[in-house]
Protein backbone atom coordinates (compact mmCIF):
# COMPACT_ATOMS: atom_id res chain seq x y z
CA UNK A 1 0.00 0.00 0.00
CA UNK A 2 1.39 3.41 -1.02
CA UNK A 3 1.24 5.92 1.82
CA UNK A 4 1.03 9.66 1.19
CA UNK A 5 1.63 12.28 3.85
CA UNK A 6 -1.13 14.87 3.86
CA UNK A 7 0.32 18.21 5.03
CA UNK A 8 -3.05 19.22 6.52
CA UNK A 9 -3.84 15.99 8.37
CA UNK A 10 -0.12 15.68 9.15
CA UNK A 11 -0.42 11.93 8.76
CA UNK A 12 0.60 9.25 6.31
CA UNK A 13 -2.59 7.98 4.73
CA UNK A 14 -3.41 5.24 2.21
CA UNK A 15 -3.32 6.23 -1.44
CA UNK A 16 -6.96 5.18 -1.96
CA UNK A 17 -8.05 8.27 0.02
CA UNK A 18 -6.35 10.58 -2.50
CA UNK A 19 -6.93 11.70 -6.02
CA UNK A 20 -4.20 12.92 -8.38
CA UNK A 21 -4.75 16.41 -9.74
CA UNK A 22 -2.06 17.06 -12.33
CA UNK A 23 1.09 19.14 -12.47
CA UNK A 24 1.51 21.82 -9.81
CA UNK A 25 2.51 25.47 -9.98
CA UNK A 26 0.79 26.17 -13.27
CA UNK A 27 -0.35 29.75 -13.03
CA UNK A 28 -3.66 30.67 -14.62
CA UNK A 29 -3.22 33.53 -17.12
CA UNK A 30 -4.58 36.79 -15.74
CA UNK A 31 -6.29 37.83 -18.97
CA UNK A 32 -7.28 34.78 -21.08
CA UNK A 33 -9.24 36.89 -23.59
CA UNK A 34 -5.99 38.51 -24.74
CA UNK A 35 -4.38 35.15 -25.53
CA UNK A 36 -4.40 33.43 -28.89
CA UNK A 37 -5.66 29.85 -29.22
CA UNK A 38 -2.21 28.32 -29.29
CA UNK A 39 -1.14 29.94 -26.04
CA UNK A 40 -4.48 29.08 -24.39
CA UNK A 41 -4.29 25.47 -25.54
CA UNK A 42 -0.77 25.29 -24.22
CA UNK A 43 -1.92 26.53 -20.83
CA UNK A 44 -4.81 24.04 -20.77
CA UNK A 45 -3.24 20.90 -22.14
CA UNK A 46 0.53 20.98 -22.49
CA UNK A 47 2.45 19.57 -19.53
CA UNK A 48 6.10 18.69 -18.97
CA UNK A 49 5.56 14.97 -18.31
CA UNK A 50 8.77 14.96 -16.33
CA UNK A 51 10.86 11.86 -15.93
CA UNK A 52 12.26 12.15 -12.42
CA UNK A 53 11.45 14.83 -9.85
CA UNK A 54 7.91 16.04 -10.53
CA UNK A 55 5.85 18.77 -8.85
CA UNK A 56 2.22 17.77 -8.71
CA UNK A 57 -1.12 18.42 -7.04
CA UNK A 58 -2.99 15.89 -4.97
CA UNK A 59 -6.42 16.03 -3.44
CA UNK A 60 -7.15 14.37 -0.10
CA UNK A 61 -10.69 13.82 -1.26
CA UNK A 62 -11.63 11.08 1.22
CA UNK A 63 -9.89 12.82 4.11
CA UNK A 64 -9.67 16.51 4.90
CA UNK A 65 -10.87 17.32 1.36
CA UNK A 66 -7.94 19.67 0.67
CA UNK A 67 -5.66 20.08 -2.32
CA UNK A 68 -1.93 20.12 -1.60
CA UNK A 69 1.31 19.87 -3.54
CA UNK A 70 3.80 17.04 -3.67
CA UNK A 71 7.25 16.34 -5.05
CA UNK A 72 7.42 12.81 -6.39
CA UNK A 73 10.05 10.93 -8.33
CA UNK A 74 8.20 9.54 -11.35
CA UNK A 75 10.84 6.84 -11.88
CA UNK A 76 10.74 5.29 -8.42
CA UNK A 77 7.18 6.50 -7.58
CA UNK A 78 8.60 7.67 -4.23
CA UNK A 79 7.17 10.79 -2.63
CA UNK A 80 10.01 13.13 -1.67
CA UNK A 81 7.87 15.67 0.17
CA UNK A 82 4.40 17.18 0.36
CA UNK A 83 3.52 20.76 1.27
CA UNK A 84 0.50 22.99 1.74
CA UNK A 85 -1.17 24.83 -1.10
CA UNK A 86 0.13 28.35 -1.60
CA UNK A 87 3.67 27.59 -0.48
CA UNK A 88 6.43 28.25 -3.06
CA UNK A 89 7.95 25.40 -5.06
CA UNK A 90 10.74 23.93 -2.91
CA UNK A 91 14.23 24.66 -4.24
CA UNK A 92 16.50 21.88 -5.51
CA UNK A 93 18.68 22.15 -2.40
CA UNK A 94 15.69 21.50 -0.13
CA UNK A 95 14.71 18.45 -2.14
CA UNK A 96 18.27 17.13 -2.11
CA UNK A 97 18.33 17.55 1.68
CA UNK A 98 15.10 15.55 2.12
CA UNK A 99 16.32 12.88 -0.29
CA UNK A 100 19.39 12.20 1.90
CA UNK B 1 -40.47 5.54 7.17
CA UNK B 2 -42.22 8.25 9.17
CA UNK B 3 -40.26 9.79 11.99
CA UNK B 4 -42.37 9.68 15.13
CA UNK B 5 -40.28 12.38 16.72
CA UNK B 6 -40.47 15.06 14.07
CA UNK B 7 -43.29 13.88 11.84
CA UNK B 8 -40.96 14.14 8.85
CA UNK B 9 -41.21 11.41 6.30
CA UNK B 10 -37.78 9.83 5.97
CA UNK B 11 -37.35 8.05 2.70
CA UNK B 12 -34.17 6.22 3.51
CA UNK B 13 -34.67 3.98 0.52
CA UNK B 14 -34.40 6.72 -2.14
CA UNK B 15 -33.98 4.61 -5.22
CA UNK B 16 -32.48 1.72 -3.34
CA UNK B 17 -34.13 -0.61 -0.94
CA UNK B 18 -32.48 -1.10 2.37
CA UNK B 19 -31.44 -4.61 3.18
CA UNK B 20 -33.75 -6.20 5.76
CA UNK B 21 -31.08 -5.87 8.44
CA UNK B 22 -31.17 -2.09 8.15
CA UNK B 23 -33.61 -1.27 10.89
CA UNK B 24 -32.89 0.34 14.18
CA UNK B 25 -34.28 -2.62 16.08
CA UNK B 26 -32.06 -5.35 14.80
CA UNK B 27 -28.38 -5.72 15.23
CA UNK B 28 -26.03 -8.02 13.40
CA UNK B 29 -22.78 -9.02 15.03
CA UNK B 30 -22.00 -5.67 16.63
CA UNK B 31 -23.26 -3.36 13.88
CA UNK B 32 -26.38 -1.32 14.42
CA UNK B 33 -28.11 1.60 12.77
CA UNK B 34 -28.33 4.75 14.89
CA UNK B 35 -31.61 6.50 15.58
CA UNK B 36 -32.48 9.70 13.80
CA UNK B 37 -29.98 12.48 14.50
CA UNK B 38 -29.46 16.17 13.81
CA UNK B 39 -26.40 16.87 11.66
CA UNK B 40 -24.78 20.12 10.58
CA UNK B 41 -21.84 20.77 8.35
CA UNK B 42 -19.99 23.87 9.59
CA UNK B 43 -17.42 25.73 7.54
CA UNK B 44 -15.62 28.82 8.76
CA UNK B 45 -12.16 30.33 8.75
CA UNK B 46 -9.78 28.49 11.07
CA UNK B 47 -8.59 31.79 12.54
CA UNK B 48 -12.14 32.43 13.81
CA UNK B 49 -12.27 29.25 15.86
CA UNK B 50 -11.83 30.88 19.27
CA UNK B 51 -14.47 33.52 18.54
CA UNK B 52 -16.92 30.99 17.10
CA UNK B 53 -16.40 28.74 20.10
CA UNK B 54 -17.21 31.62 22.42
CA UNK B 55 -20.25 32.79 20.49
CA UNK B 56 -21.76 29.35 19.98
CA UNK B 57 -20.75 27.65 23.24
CA UNK B 58 -19.92 24.65 21.07
CA UNK B 59 -17.03 22.46 22.09
CA UNK B 60 -15.09 22.82 18.82
CA UNK B 61 -12.02 20.59 18.70
CA UNK B 62 -8.84 22.52 17.89
CA UNK B 63 -7.01 19.85 15.87
CA UNK B 64 -7.88 18.22 12.58
CA UNK B 65 -8.97 14.64 13.25
CA UNK B 66 -10.10 15.30 16.81
CA UNK B 67 -13.60 15.37 18.23
CA UNK B 68 -15.50 16.37 21.30
CA UNK B 69 -18.15 14.14 22.76
CA UNK B 70 -20.49 15.72 25.27
CA UNK B 71 -23.76 14.11 26.21
CA UNK B 72 -25.65 13.35 23.02
CA UNK B 73 -23.58 15.76 20.96
CA UNK B 74 -20.51 15.08 18.84
CA UNK B 75 -18.37 17.70 17.11
CA UNK B 76 -15.79 16.42 14.65
CA UNK B 77 -13.07 18.48 13.02
CA UNK B 78 -12.67 16.99 9.56
CA UNK B 79 -10.42 19.54 7.89
CA UNK B 80 -8.81 22.97 8.29
CA UNK B 81 -12.15 24.75 7.90
CA UNK B 82 -14.68 21.96 8.27
CA UNK B 83 -16.56 20.65 11.28
CA UNK B 84 -19.37 18.13 11.53
CA UNK B 85 -21.86 18.35 14.35
CA UNK B 86 -24.05 15.38 15.23
CA UNK B 87 -26.61 15.66 17.97
CA UNK B 88 -29.71 13.96 19.29
CA UNK B 89 -33.03 15.49 18.36
CA UNK B 90 -33.63 17.17 21.71
CA UNK B 91 -31.11 19.90 20.83
CA UNK B 92 -32.44 20.57 17.33
CA UNK B 93 -34.19 23.83 18.13
CA UNK B 94 -31.41 25.21 20.32
CA UNK B 95 -28.88 24.48 17.59
CA UNK B 96 -30.96 26.24 15.00
CA UNK B 97 -30.93 29.37 17.14
CA UNK B 98 -27.21 29.08 17.78
CA UNK B 99 -26.47 28.89 14.08
CA UNK B 100 -28.75 31.79 13.25
CA UNK B 101 -26.66 33.92 15.62
CA UNK B 102 -23.42 32.54 14.24
CA UNK B 103 -24.20 33.24 10.63
CA UNK B 104 -25.06 36.84 11.43
CA UNK B 105 -21.66 37.34 13.09
CA UNK B 106 -19.19 35.31 11.04
CA UNK B 107 -18.33 34.46 7.47
CA UNK B 108 -19.43 30.88 7.62
CA UNK B 109 -21.48 28.16 6.02
CA UNK B 110 -23.93 26.16 8.09
CA UNK B 111 -25.76 23.39 6.29
CA UNK B 112 -28.35 21.07 7.77
CA UNK B 113 -27.40 17.62 6.50
CA UNK B 114 -29.45 15.63 9.02
CA UNK B 115 -31.07 13.42 6.45
CA UNK B 116 -28.17 13.10 4.05
CA UNK B 117 -26.27 10.77 6.36
CA UNK B 118 -27.02 7.63 8.28
CA UNK B 119 -24.98 6.57 11.27
CA UNK B 120 -23.89 3.12 12.37
CA UNK B 121 -22.39 1.98 15.61
CA UNK B 122 -19.83 -0.77 15.28
CA UNK B 123 -19.01 -2.14 18.70
CA UNK B 124 -17.65 -5.10 20.61
CA UNK B 125 -14.30 -6.86 20.81
CA UNK B 126 -14.33 -7.37 17.06
CA UNK B 127 -15.15 -3.77 16.08
CA UNK B 128 -11.63 -2.99 14.87
CA UNK B 129 -11.53 -6.15 12.76
CA UNK B 130 -14.94 -5.56 11.24
CA UNK B 131 -13.86 -2.08 10.16
CA UNK B 132 -10.47 -3.23 8.92
CA UNK B 133 -12.09 -5.65 6.50
CA UNK B 134 -12.85 -2.58 4.39
CA UNK B 135 -10.96 0.37 5.84
CA UNK B 136 -7.21 0.70 5.14
CA UNK B 137 -6.39 2.82 8.22
CA UNK B 138 -4.40 1.47 11.15
CA UNK B 139 -7.04 1.34 13.87
CA UNK B 140 -4.84 0.19 16.75
CA UNK B 141 -5.59 2.14 19.87
CA UNK B 142 -2.24 3.96 19.99
CA UNK B 143 -2.56 5.16 16.37
CA UNK B 144 -6.30 5.78 16.33
CA UNK B 145 -7.12 6.68 19.93
CA UNK B 146 -10.51 7.34 21.50
CA UNK B 147 -11.84 10.65 20.20
CA UNK B 148 -10.02 10.48 16.86
CA UNK B 149 -12.13 10.98 13.79
CA UNK B 150 -11.60 11.26 10.06
CA UNK B 151 -13.17 10.94 6.68
CA UNK B 152 -11.92 7.77 5.01
CA UNK B 153 -13.16 4.84 2.94
CA UNK B 154 -14.73 1.47 3.63
CA UNK B 155 -14.79 -0.83 0.60
CA UNK B 156 -14.58 2.25 -1.66
CA UNK B 157 -17.49 3.96 0.07
CA UNK B 158 -16.68 7.26 1.70
CA UNK B 159 -17.35 7.17 5.42
CA UNK B 160 -16.63 9.30 8.45
CA UNK B 161 -15.15 7.28 11.26
CA UNK B 162 -15.04 8.24 14.94
CA UNK B 163 -13.70 6.15 17.78
CA UNK B 164 -16.04 6.70 20.74
CA UNK B 165 -14.49 4.09 23.00
CA UNK B 166 -11.89 1.36 22.73
CA UNK B 167 -14.44 -1.05 21.30
CA UNK B 168 -16.98 1.39 19.88
CA UNK B 169 -16.90 3.26 16.57
CA UNK B 170 -19.38 5.65 15.01
CA UNK B 171 -19.61 5.40 11.21
CA UNK B 172 -21.35 8.06 9.13
CA UNK B 173 -22.26 7.36 5.53
CA UNK B 174 -24.28 9.07 2.82
CA UNK B 175 -27.77 7.63 2.88
CA UNK B 176 -27.77 6.17 -0.62
CA UNK B 177 -24.57 4.26 0.17
CA UNK B 178 -25.99 2.80 3.39
CA UNK B 179 -27.45 -0.44 1.94
CA UNK B 180 -24.14 -1.15 0.19
CA UNK B 181 -22.20 -0.45 3.36
CA UNK B 182 -24.47 -2.50 5.55
CA UNK B 183 -24.17 -5.48 3.24
CA UNK B 184 -20.40 -5.28 3.50
CA UNK B 185 -20.70 -5.08 7.28
CA UNK B 186 -22.90 -8.13 7.15
CA UNK B 187 -20.28 -9.99 5.14
CA UNK B 188 -17.44 -8.95 7.39
CA UNK B 189 -19.15 -10.14 10.57
CA UNK B 190 -19.48 -13.63 9.15
CA UNK B 191 -16.99 -16.26 10.19
CA UNK B 192 -15.30 -16.25 6.84
CA UNK B 193 -14.27 -12.64 7.00
CA UNK B 194 -13.19 -12.91 10.61
CA UNK B 195 -10.92 -15.81 9.78
CA UNK B 196 -9.43 -13.86 6.90
CA UNK B 197 -8.61 -11.06 9.32
CA UNK B 198 -7.04 -13.53 11.72
CA UNK B 199 -9.50 -12.50 14.40
CA UNK B 200 -10.62 -16.02 15.14
CA UNK B 201 -8.82 -19.29 15.44
CA UNK B 202 -9.55 -21.50 12.49
CA UNK B 203 -10.92 -24.78 13.77
ZN1 LIG C 1 -5.69 15.48 4.63
Amino acid sequence: MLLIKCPYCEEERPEIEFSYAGEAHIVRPTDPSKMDDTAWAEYLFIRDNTRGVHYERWYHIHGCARFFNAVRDTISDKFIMTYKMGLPRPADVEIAKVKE
Amino acid sequence: MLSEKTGIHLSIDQGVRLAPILTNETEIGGVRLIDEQVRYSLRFKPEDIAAVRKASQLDLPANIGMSSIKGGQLVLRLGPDEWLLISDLSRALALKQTFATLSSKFTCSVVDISHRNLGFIVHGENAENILNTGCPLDLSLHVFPVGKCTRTVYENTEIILLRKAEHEFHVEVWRSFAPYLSRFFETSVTDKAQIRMGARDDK
Side-chain angles (χ1 to χ4, degrees):
Chain A
M1 184 163 57
L2 179 63
L3 297 173
I4 302 173
K5 184 171 179 180
C6 170
Y8 293 97
C9 296
E10 295 177 332
E11 276 177 7
E12 296 212 309
R13 303 283 289 257
E15 186 198 358
I16 193 172
E17 288 184 358
F18 297 85
S19 154
Y20 178 69
E23 198 178 321
H25 300 292
I26 291 173
V27 182
R28 186 182 167 84
T30 46
D31 195 353
S33 60
K34 290 230 169 70
M35 293 167 76
D36 62 27
D37 287 353
T38 318
W40 181 242
E42 197 151 300
Y43 157 71
L44 283 183
F45 305 116
I46 307 301
R47 297 293 179 262
D48 288 343
N49 197 22
T50 309
R51 185 172 190 273
V53 175
H54 188 234
Y55 299 83
E56 55 197 23
R57 296 186 307 172
W58 283 81
Y59 183 23
H60 196 186
I61 179 167
H62 303 303
C64 58
R66 279 289 167 135
F67 281 91
F68 61 91
N69 287 333
V71 186
R72 181 177 60 99
D73 191 318
T74 58
I75 300 168
S76 63
D77 199 24
K78 284 219 165 75
F79 279 81
I80 298 158
M81 62 195 292
T82 57
Y83 50 102
K84 287 182 182 174
M85 225 31 154
L87 292 178
R89 176 198 292 250
D92 292 348
V93 282
E94 279 177 69
I95 290 165
K97 223 193 282 171
V98 180
K99 263 183 155 175
E100 278 166 23
Chain B
M1 129 183 147
L2 188 73
S3 163
E4 283 172 18
K5 287 151 195 152
T6 57
I8 296 168
H9 188 76
L10 293 177
S11 47
I12 294 179
D13 58 336
Q14 300 226 324
V16 271
R17 283 191 55 112
L18 295 181
I21 61 157
L22 255 190
T23 60
N24 305 35
E25 293 79 34
T26 56
E27 162 157 343
I28 296 243
V31 181
R32 97 170 169 262
L33 186 65
I34 301 173
D35 256 340
E36 206 185 331
Q37 305 262 288
V38 180
R39 298 176 175 87
Y40 281 96
S41 169
L42 314 177
R43 311 286 302 260
F44 53 84
K45 291 182 185 148
E47 55 266 32
D48 285 343
I49 183 170
V52 172
R53 197 183 281 139
K54 205 173 158 207
S56 66
Q57 299 294 318
L58 289 172
D59 201 355
L60 299 168
N63 296 324
I64 298 172
M66 288 316 292
S67 65
S68 70
I69 307 176
K70 212 164 58 181
Q73 186 166 292
L74 316 171
V75 188
L76 288 64
R77 184 163 187 187
L78 299 175
D81 63 351
E82 185 185 5
W83 285 260
L84 171 68
L85 184 146
I86 305 171
S87 171
D88 55 41
L89 294 174
S90 62
R91 301 245 312 129
L93 202 64
L95 284 171
K96 226 172 217 175
Q97 279 153 0
T98 305
F99 292 137
T101 323
L102 264 195
S103 51
S104 67
K105 281 187 183 158
F106 298 93
T107 307
C108 63
S109 147
V110 180
V111 182
D112 184 341
I113 53 166
S114 305
H115 295 161
R116 185 189 72 181
N117 289 13
L118 284 177
F120 289 91
I121 291 286
V122 181
H123 68 104
E125 296 270 310
N126 252 334
E128 236 173 71
N129 292 321
I130 292 169
L131 288 165
N132 269 148
T133 55
C135 174
L137 293 183
D138 183 352
L139 298 178
S140 2
L141 199 58
H142 66 283
V143 182
F144 204 96
V146 174
K148 191 171 165 63
C149 65
T150 183
R151 198 183 275 121
T152 181
V153 287
Y154 182 93
E155 287 288 352
N156 294 314
T157 309
E158 185 175 286
I159 59 165
I160 290 167
L161 186 64
L162 161 69
R163 187 176 217 139
K164 290 179 86 176
E166 187 180 350
H167 296 301
E168 186 183 341
F169 292 86
H170 181 125
V171 178
E172 284 280 306
V173 67
W174 282 16
R175 188 178 52 193
S176 57
F177 289 98
Y180 173 86
L181 183 70
S182 77
R183 276 198 287 275
F184 265 109
F185 279 149
E186 196 184 8
T187 310
S188 58
V189 297
T190 61
D191 281 2
K192 214 174 181 180
Q194 297 297 336
I195 290 164
R196 196 180 74 212
M197 291 300 297
R200 296 186 64 180
D201 287 328
D202 208 345
K203 292 148 243 165

